[in-house]
Amino acid sequence: MTGFEQQTESTNKGIYRRFIKRPIDFCLSLFALIILSPVIIVVALLVRVKLGHPVIFKQKRPGLNEKIFTMYKFRTMTDKKDQNGQLLPDSERLTKFGKMLRSTSLDELPELFNILKGDMSIVGPRPLLVEYLERYNACQKRRHEVRPGLTGNAQVSGRNALTWEEKFNLDVDYVDHIRFLRDIRIILMTVKKVIMREGIHSTQSDTMEYFTGNH
């Protein structure tokens, strides 16, 4: 590839990233919310019956440029506590119904509202815990140069079956190579992963282990 071709490709990526990606996210998330509204209502009712109140799980997450926002998901765990009033481990609070929501990614549907608001994108690095911010190295922090996504490069490359280092490398690779056709490919691969239920769990537990930092 010549220098001119490289410059042209870089310009095209910049235009898509700055001017096209967000309008596409808005239109697709609005369309999805309208089409999937019956599913969202049914899931909300089932969560209320099986897991109780609140139906929506809210948590602060870092987004674009590490700006903190409130992410929405359907609740998948109970509030069961031990004799000291402390919440039981995730594995003990995650019910069979909750596991089904996670394996089908139905618990992620409320994030469409985050995309509509501009907190998130359809494709991008997954939003992680705020407490992780101080544990990233300089390269890993670059995952916050773009909006976090409903799905992303790491999710279609292994999801929770990947190590943290592998996930972060895939996130940064996405930041460096954002393209329209790549986003379409990730969306299509996500549909396949959800249908096949691949990479839902880590190799050690039902939920992804906490990131403790770089050692």
Side-chain angles (χ1 to χ4, degrees):
M1 184 180 291
T2 66
F4 176 75
E5 289 173 331
Q6 290 178 334
Q7 184 176 5
T8 301
E9 182 181 9
S10 177
T11 299
N12 290 338
K13 286 191 293 184
I15 291 174
Y16 171 65
R17 178 171 172 173
R18 283 184 281 180
F19 304 112
I20 301 176
K21 187 174 171 66
R22 173 58 190 153
I24 290 177
D25 284 337
F26 180 87
C27 292
L28 289 182
S29 60
L30 180 60
F31 178 75
L33 282 169
I34 294 172
I35 296 298
L36 297 174
S37 57
V39 177
I40 293 173
I41 292 172
V42 170
V43 173
L45 290 173
L46 289 173
V47 171
R48 182 67 179 86
V49 171
K50 292 179 175 294
L51 297 175
H53 181 79
V55 170
I56 299 296
F57 170 74
K58 300 178 182 179
Q59 190 173 54
K60 299 294 183 182
R61 298 289 177 96
L64 177 64
N65 299 320
E66 301 184 6
K67 180 181 178 181
I68 307 301
F69 70 96
T70 301
M71 187 181 76
Y72 311 123
K73 298 179 72 171
F74 278 124
R75 180 180 181 179
T76 58
M77 294 190 288
T78 67
D79 288 329
K80 289 183 179 179
K81 300 179 181 179
D82 60 22
Q83 58 186 6
N84 298 317
Q86 299 296 318
L87 287 174
L88 293 173
D90 289 356
S91 59
E92 296 182 40
R93 295 188 294 121
L94 183 60
T95 65
K96 183 178 180 180
F97 174 69
K99 289 180 180 179
M100 183 278 292
L101 289 181
R102 292 191 179 193
S103 67
T104 56
S105 294
L106 288 171
D107 64 316
E108 312 277 1
L109 288 178
E111 291 172 42
L112 290 169
F113 289 102
N114 287 121
I115 298 173
L116 199 66
K117 290 170 56 183
D119 298 326
M120 294 175 60
S121 179
I122 292 176
V123 180
R126 285 293 295 162
L128 300 176
L129 299 178
V130 174
E131 63 197 73
Y132 291 174
L133 287 174
E134 61 185 21
R135 302 174 189 173
Y136 296 142
N137 60 34
C139 180
Q140 293 165 350
K141 278 182 174 290
R142 296 195 57 229
R143 69 192 308 278
H144 293 290
E145 292 179 9
V146 297
R147 285 185 177 86
L150 179 65
T151 185
N153 197 24
Q155 280 60 54
V156 298
S157 302
R159 201 173 175 179
N160 284 345
L162 297 173
T163 65
W164 280 114
E165 183 177 2
E166 290 170 332
K167 280 187 174 185
F168 293 143
N169 287 339
L170 288 166
D171 289 341
V172 175
D173 178 74
Y174 175 78
V175 171
D176 288 335
H177 302 94
I178 293 180
R179 297 182 183 88
F180 172 71
L181 291 180
R182 190 180 195 187
D183 278 1
I184 296 299
R185 174 178 170 273
I186 289 174
I187 291 171
L188 293 176
M189 289 181 68
T190 298
V191 174
K192 176 179 178 293
K193 291 283 183 180
V194 170
I195 293 174
M196 300 299 293
R197 300 193 184 186
E198 298 175 348
I200 302 300
H201 305 302
S202 71
T203 56
Q204 300 178 22
S205 67
D206 288 330
T207 56
M208 188 64 190
E209 292 78 25
Y210 279 97
F211 176 59
T212 57
N214 302 282
H215 303 289

